[in-house]
């Protein structure tokens, strides 16, 4: 059965109080991407990188899913078709809202990765630092946040591409289309026959590839879009 793929970006968590990256008050205004979101930045200054992610992890514990996350969980439960969320976000708000089929292509704020042995451990809730010891290989200082930085291969591309190539509906919610390979997903889906909808208050860099654009906030517009899909009135 052809399913539904939903690509989500920072915009879906904005109404929960998590800053986006490229807004005027976004994360990249106060931090240089090269310093906090590249493997080279981590080697140069692990303490700075740990501080950046520790602050974001601690903030995550203070926020809740918003109606956009809840609407996607409802779509998964009530749709007769398989629904997959491919999120670029490293927060756990989709899971907390009740979604089960979530692929975190850019990693997970609540997981650690050993840059020496590759072991990943989830359930990280306390601050990380450059003195930590890997519980798997015993290396000191090799543990990093389990995040996909620039120049690194996003997770589960081998699962994502077949989902894009077989889906009937592709939704893109709250992503600016600056970062690849995620920005290329709409073309992969549309070229194989998917109907594509973008939901974003501003047109993304890739908006022209979509059949329909909804200008608005995810928390306000996604519940209605989900209703349309569940009623079977979305497709022309
Ligand atoms: C709302 C809203 C509301 C606000 N409701 N919406 C040239 C061509 C192609 C590729 C490259 C290239 N040069 C370099 C590359 C590769 C590079 C890349 O794309 N660079 C670009 C900058 C050009 N990509 C990579 O390196 C990736 N790896 C890779 O390519 O590996 C090789 C490969 C080869 C072949 C196949 C596959 C792979 C890795 C990318 C890693 C990205 N990492 C980050 C940081 C880590 C995570 C973290 O710290 O949280 O991920 S960067 C950052 O950007 C983060 C995000 O996930 C990602 C996307 O940002 P997003 O989500 O779109 O946020 P914003 O802020 O940009 O936009 C928010 C949107 O929400 C806006 O549009 C608002 O309007 C909207 N919004 N309120 C709905 N209420």
């Amino acid at each position: 059965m052809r399913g539904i793929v939903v690509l989500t970006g920072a915009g879906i968590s904005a109404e929960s109080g998590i800053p986006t990256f490229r807004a005027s008050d976004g994360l990249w205004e106060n931090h240089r991407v090269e310093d906090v979101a590249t493997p080279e930045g981590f080697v140069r200054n692990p303490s700075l990188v740990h501080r950046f992610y520790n602050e974001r992890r601690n903030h995550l514990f203070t926020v809740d899913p918003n109606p956009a996350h809840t609407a996607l969980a409802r779509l998964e439960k009530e749709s007769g078709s398989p629904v997959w969320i491919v999120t670029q976000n490293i927060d756990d708000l989709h899971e907390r809202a009740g979604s089960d089929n979530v692929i975190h292509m850019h990693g997970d704020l609540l997981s650690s990765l050993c840059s020496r042995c590759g072991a990943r451990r989830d359930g990280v809730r306390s601050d990380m630092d450059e003195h930590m010891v890997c519980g798997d290989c015993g290396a000191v200082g090799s543990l990093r946040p389990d995040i996909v930085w620039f120049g690194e291969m996003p997770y589960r591309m081998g699962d994502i591409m077949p989902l894009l190539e077989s889906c009937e509906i592709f939704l893109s919610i709250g992503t600016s289309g600056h970062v690849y390979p995620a920005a290329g997903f709409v073309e992969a889906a549309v070229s194989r026959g998917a109907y594509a909808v973008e939901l974003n208050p501003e047109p993304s860099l890739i908006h022209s590839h979509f059949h329909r654009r909804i200008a608005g906030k995810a928390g306000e517009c996604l519940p209605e879009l989900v209703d349309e899909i569940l009623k079977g009135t979305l497709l022309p």
Side-chain angles (χ1 to χ4, degrees):
M1 186 191 294
R2 295 182 70 194
I4 301 172
V5 174
V6 188
L7 173 68
T8 63
I12 197 167
S13 296
E15 288 156 85
S16 293
I18 298 184
T20 64
F21 294 91
R22 295 170 181 83
S24 55
D25 56 351
L27 287 169
W28 292 162
E29 272 302 294
N30 297 319
H31 300 88
R32 280 165 32 99
V33 176
E34 305 76 23
D35 290 339
V36 296
T38 63
E40 296 79 15
F42 182 67
V43 169
R44 266 197 313 274
N45 192 345
S47 160
L48 173 78
V49 176
H50 278 307
R51 207 161 51 238
F52 177 66
Y53 286 99
N54 286 342
E55 278 171 18
R56 290 174 61 193
R57 190 181 304 105
N58 287 325
H59 182 235
L60 179 56
F61 299 139
T62 70
V63 303
D64 293 308
N66 67 57
H69 299 101
T70 311
L72 290 182
R74 183 161 64 89
L75 180 63
E76 184 184 302
K77 299 287 172 293
E78 296 178 18
S79 164
S81 315
V83 175
W84 282 94
I85 296 174
V86 178
T87 187
Q88 298 169 86
N89 299 342
I90 61 174
D91 64 56
D92 62 346
L93 296 182
H94 285 303
E95 289 86 346
R96 279 201 252 155
S99 290
D100 291 322
N101 296 335
V102 185
I103 296 177
H104 282 271
M105 65 176 291
H106 288 168
D108 178 350
L109 195 47
L110 304 180
S111 172
S112 67
L113 169 69
C114 177
S115 47
R116 177 75 62 83
C117 72
R120 297 166 77 185
R121 293 224 175 167
D122 56 16
V124 174
R125 296 189 69 83
S126 35
D127 284 357
M128 295 181 69
D129 64 46
E130 63 277 25
H131 308 295
M132 292 174 82
V133 178
C134 173
D136 286 78
C137 70
V140 180
S142 61
L143 290 183
R144 51 171 275 187
D146 187 10
I147 307 294
V148 177
W149 288 322
F150 283 107
E152 297 184 320
M153 181 63 82
Y155 289 136
R156 298 186 58 184
M157 290 301 295
D159 294 325
I160 295 170
M161 292 316 291
L163 293 173
L164 295 171
E165 287 164 4
S166 64
C167 69
E168 184 176 31
I169 296 173
F170 175 80
L171 308 180
S172 176
I173 317 292
T175 177
S176 63
H178 275 84
V179 175
Y180 284 83
F185 288 175
V186 61
E187 283 176 270
V190 166
S191 69
R192 300 293 285 263
Y195 182 77
V197 181
E198 171 171 282
L199 168 48
N200 194 317
E202 307 293 334
S204 72
L205 290 185
I206 46 167
H207 70 94
S208 60
H209 295 291
F210 290 83
H211 297 98
R212 177 171 162 202
R213 205 185 100 64
I214 300 172
K217 292 185 172 182
E220 292 167 9
C221 303
L222 193 50
E224 263 179 52
L225 179 60
V226 164
D227 284 342
E228 247 185 88
I229 296 171
L230 292 174
K231 278 192 226 135
T233 54
L234 176 78
L235 296 178

